[in-house]
């Protein structure tokens, strides 16, 4: 792998991405016994997490290493110590740092100062670990030719996924409300890689004929004060039986889901939903990533 850090999905080339996905599949099948004996991953969280925290910690245990949870109140970072000092000190102890942060810039600061590999476990702008699991899930379900619609907010999960689809040659359409579109730089980056998504503001247009429909919450962590305006802006974007009436697509969601907002309980619990495989694949994909970065 060229990059020492994994701050967004395009820190991997297309070939490196395919190598990690293949290794993740092998790990899932139990036919890779690579280890990270005596290695420690520091896990820094400014926001809550279920999947990211549990899958990284379990992954390190399964690989023979160890993970340390560092919550915002537990360490001096939450009491005024600058991030760059936290990075320099922690980097002298651990073999890698996985961080869930608000500002993407802070992930870059961490990477600049830590002197060990830094993995982005979600920022306001990107969630590349989720993309690894998403692409592994899509690869398991479909062959090479697959089309996906992203329906919802154009922020972290969607943005990394859009770039990941370009790297993995997955055909993508995107529907967001105009005020919550993906960053133009993300669309341009996907185009530069070789696969610009079709961009819509109408979910019906975006989902026509696709194999997979993927959504995320409308109110992301840290946006609680924008709740009312966001719920209004996303009206019509809910994955429900009406929107999906003409579609047989599989349903993906990074989770946690807010039933009754971006998705109905019926759709999330239906046979077409592959969200639990998607959640499981966080573990396998991240183990492959850890082996690549720390191994
Ligand atoms: N999808 C995801 O990152 O979930 P958590 O917030 O539970 O980690
Ligand atoms: N967009 C969501 C993703 C959670 C995994 C958020 O940032 O809260």
């Amino acid at each position: 792998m060229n990059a020492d850090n994994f701050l967004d999905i395009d820190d991997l080339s297309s070939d490196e991405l395919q190598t990690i996905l293949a290794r993740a599949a092998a790990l899932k099948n139990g036919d890779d016994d690579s280890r990270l004996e005596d290695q420690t991953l520091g896990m820094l969280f400014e926001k809550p997490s279920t999947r990211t925290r549990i899958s990284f910690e379990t992954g390190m245990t399964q690989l023979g290493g160890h993970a340390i949870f560092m919550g915002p109140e537990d360490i001096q970072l939450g009491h005024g110590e600058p991030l760059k000092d936290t990075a320099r000190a922690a980097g002298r102890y651990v073999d890698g740092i996985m961080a869930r942060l608000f500002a993407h810039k802070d992930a870059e600061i961490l990477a600049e100062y830590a002197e060990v590999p830094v993995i982005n476990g979600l920022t306001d702008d990107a969630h590349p670990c989720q993309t690894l699991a998403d692409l592994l899930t899509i690869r398991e379900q479909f062959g090479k030719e697959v089309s996906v619609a992203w329906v919802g907010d154009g922020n972290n999960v969607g943005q990394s996924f859009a770039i990941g689809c370009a790297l993995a040659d997955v055909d993508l359409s995107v529907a967001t409300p105009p005020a919550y579109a993906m960053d133009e730089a993300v669309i341009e980056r996907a185009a530069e890689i070789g696969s610009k998504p079709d961009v819509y503001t109408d979910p019906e247009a975006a989902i026509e004929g696709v194999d997979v429909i993927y959504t995320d919450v409308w109110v992301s962590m840290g946006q609680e004060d924008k709740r009312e305006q966001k719920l209004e802006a996303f009206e019509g974007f809910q994955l429900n039986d009406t929107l999906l009436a003409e579609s047989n697509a599989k349903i993906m969601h990074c989770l946690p889901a807010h039933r009754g907002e971006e998705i109905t309980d019926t759709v999330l619990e239906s046979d077409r939903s592959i969200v639990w495989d998607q959640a499981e694949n966080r573990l396998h994909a991240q183990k492959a990533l850890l082996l690549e970065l720390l191994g």
Side-chain angles (χ1 to χ4, degrees):
M1 185 169 160
N2 287 331
D4 297 330
N5 303 298
F6 186 61
L7 301 190
D8 208 342
I9 192 72
D10 60 344
D11 282 332
L12 303 174
S13 66
S14 292
D15 286 348
E16 288 166 341
L17 174 61
Q18 292 309 328
T19 302
I20 287 185
L21 295 179
R23 190 165 207 181
L27 286 159
K28 187 171 183 175
N29 287 330
D31 44 338
D32 185 328
D33 58 2
S34 305
R35 307 285 287 164
L36 291 177
E37 296 288 357
D38 298 329
Q39 298 225 30
T40 301
L41 179 72
M43 307 195 302
L44 177 58
F45 283 91
E46 286 185 341
K47 302 174 179 177
S49 168
T50 296
R51 281 142 287 268
T52 305
R53 179 178 174 178
I54 299 173
S55 57
F56 266 107
E57 185 160 345
T58 305
M60 282 303 290
T61 303
Q62 291 180 357
L63 291 170
H66 178 68
I68 301 177
F69 174 75
M70 301 179 279
E73 295 305 314
D74 306 330
I75 60 171
Q76 303 292 7
L77 179 67
H79 304 275
E81 185 170 27
L83 183 63
K84 62 183 182 180
D85 294 4
T86 308
R88 281 177 287 193
R92 299 286 176 111
Y93 309 130
V94 299
D95 301 286
I97 297 175
M98 186 277 294
R100 167 164 289 195
L101 304 164
F102 286 95
H104 192 78
K105 182 80 198 142
D106 282 345
E108 292 167 355
I109 291 172
L110 201 53
E112 183 183 343
Y113 285 93
E115 292 183 358
V116 292
V118 170
I119 298 170
N120 179 359
L122 180 142
T123 60
D124 289 346
D125 297 339
H127 197 3
C129 294
Q130 181 67 53
T131 305
L132 289 180
D134 300 340
L135 293 173
L136 179 61
T137 310
I138 289 169
R139 189 183 141 127
E140 282 172 350
Q141 295 273 339
F142 300 91
K144 185 93 176 89
E145 298 283 310
V146 54
S147 58
V148 184
W150 174 267
V151 175
D153 204 349
N155 68 346
N156 44 23
V157 175
Q159 296 199 132
S160 291
F161 185 68
I163 297 172
C165 283
L167 285 169
D169 208 14
V170 170
D171 192 29
L172 180 69
S173 54
V174 170
T176 68
Y180 297 100
M182 290 183 186
D183 200 324
E184 196 48 45
V186 168
I187 303 296
E188 289 313 316
R189 180 73 186 114
E192 187 182 283
I193 292 166
S195 182
K196 187 172 183 165
D198 295 321
V199 177
Y200 302 89
T201 53
D202 173 10
E204 272 186 57
I207 68 169
E208 198 181 330
V210 298
D211 302 306
V212 180
I213 303 172
Y214 188 177
T215 193
D216 180 17
V217 294
W218 293 342
V219 184
S220 284
M221 292 178 278
Q223 299 183 334
E224 291 76 12
D225 59 333
K226 297 196 179 77
R227 184 174 169 76
E228 290 314 314
Q229 82 195 54
K230 291 202 82 175
L231 293 192
E232 200 175 313
F234 282 89
E235 209 172 305
F237 282 74
Q238 185 186 66
L239 302 193
N240 56 33
D241 286 342
T242 309
L243 181 65
L244 303 178
E246 305 291 317
S247 167
N248 293 318
K250 302 276 188 198
I251 302 299
M252 289 176 61
H253 193 310
C254 56
L255 305 174
H258 293 178
R259 289 168 168 83
E261 292 185 12
E262 76 280 358
I263 192 164
T264 59
D265 182 64
T266 314
V267 171
L268 190 73
E269 299 289 350
S270 67
D271 290 346
R272 55 161 65 192
S273 164
I274 53 173
V275 302
W276 307 115
D277 290 335
Q278 193 185 350
E280 177 186 335
N281 283 337
R282 294 291 304 273
L283 173 68
H284 311 297
Q286 288 159 195
K287 282 170 72 180
L289 176 72
L290 287 165
L291 287 168
E292 195 64 36
L293 280 173
L294 310 187

